Amino acid sequence: MNVSRIAVAGGLALSSVALLSGTAFAHVSVQPQGEAAKGGYATVNVKVPNERDNASTVKVEVNFPVDHPLASVMPQPVPGWKAVVTKSELAKPLELHGKKITQAVTKVTWTSDGAKIGAGQFQQFPLSLGQLPEDTDQLVLKAVQTYDNNEVVRWIEESKEGAAEPQNPAPVLKLSAATGDHHGGGAAADDKADDKAGHDDKAAHAEAADSTDTPARVLGVVGILIGVAGVAFGVLAGRRRSA
């Protein structure tokens, strides 16, 4: 196999990896900032990537399950976006901190107020949630994404265990075991998160150093080999002249 064929094969392999990576990370998802514990409160990010090269995202809707209602859902202001919280009457009132709650948040809608999510970009929409339910391991937050060309993508398909991932999977918030203070973690969890962040940062620096050192070491070895070859060639040339 000549050099050109190797280059073509390498290019195809890299293109395949890029396509697969883009597909895997192009879904709307929800990611907790810390721990989302049953019975507690949590701050999460709704991560919305733009999948189109010829259109921008101008509207995002996130729907909350009515079978596991949340009494409190508060969006953090995002520059260039207007957030609207929709509440609905509950068939069965909730008891929260000794108070009876008759309404729950069923949807949060972000609409462009000057900002857009362009091609090759993503936007995070922070939410404060609580009180999280104690009778389920996850919350399915179905989302709807609207583009400025009026295309609508519905991220509402629920994944099933043992089955392939659906084309438009719904975002899922995993819930961990309940904590004693019902605040989704507390100071101890924050300390652990800080320690983990510090450890990950050190590991990232070490990995970066290794990745930087590796090419340098390879080049150094190549340089040494070239030098040795040059010396050997010089010695052989000298012997031939002597002969």
Side-chain angles (χ1 to χ4, degrees):
M1 182 180 289
N2 57 32
V3 175
S4 61
R5 289 181 179 177
I6 294 175
V8 171
L12 290 174
L14 288 174
S15 299
S16 299
V17 171
L19 286 173
L20 290 173
S21 299
T23 301
F25 292 97
H27 304 329
V28 173
S29 60
V30 58
Q31 303 164 341
Q33 297 177 4
E35 185 178 11
K38 297 178 182 180
Y41 295 81
T43 301
V44 303
N45 282 323
V46 178
K47 184 177 180 181
V48 183
N50 194 86
E51 291 190 313
R52 302 294 182 259
D53 295 328
N54 59 350
S56 298
T57 300
V58 293
K59 184 179 179 181
V60 178
E61 300 173 24
V62 174
N63 295 275
F64 295 86
V66 294
D67 54 342
H68 298 292
L70 299 176
S72 175
V73 177
M74 294 187 296
Q76 178 177 314
V78 177
W81 295 86
K82 180 182 178 181
V84 175
V85 178
T86 302
K87 293 185 177 182
S88 299
E89 294 291 331
L90 292 173
K92 182 180 179 180
L94 293 175
E95 289 289 339
L96 184 63
H97 302 305
K99 295 182 179 180
K100 184 175 291 187
I101 306 298
T102 59
Q103 290 184 329
V105 174
T106 52
K107 182 171 67 174
V108 176
T109 305
W110 291 270
T111 306
S112 172
D113 190 21
K116 294 183 178 181
I117 309 174
Q121 299 178 340
F122 74 92
Q123 177 66 54
Q124 295 192 120
F125 298 95
L127 289 171
S128 175
L129 309 179
Q131 186 172 356
L132 298 173
E134 300 184 52
D135 57 350
T136 183
D137 295 326
Q138 65 180 30
L139 291 177
V140 179
L141 310 179
K142 297 182 179 181
V144 180
Q145 181 177 12
T146 303
Y147 290 88
D148 57 7
N149 62 356
N150 294 323
E151 180 185 2
V152 176
V153 179
R154 303 180 186 279
W155 302 94
I156 61 175
E157 300 176 52
E158 297 189 35
S159 301
K160 297 181 180 180
E161 187 175 355
E165 183 181 58
Q167 183 176 358
N168 295 319
V172 175
L173 175 63
K174 300 289 186 180
L175 302 181
S176 60
T179 59
D181 56 9
H182 275 187
H183 284 80
D190 292 339
D191 291 342
K192 290 180 180 178
D194 291 341
D195 291 342
K196 184 178 184 300
H199 177 75
D200 290 345
D201 187 52
K202 291 178 181 178
H205 283 300
E207 183 178 354
D210 289 342
S211 63
T212 304
D213 290 344
T214 300
R217 291 171 182 168
V218 172
L219 291 174
V221 172
V222 172
I224 293 172
L225 292 176
I226 292 174
V228 171
V231 172
F233 179 78
V235 172
L236 290 175
R239 290 180 178 176
R240 286 178 180 175
R241 293 194 189 97
S242 299

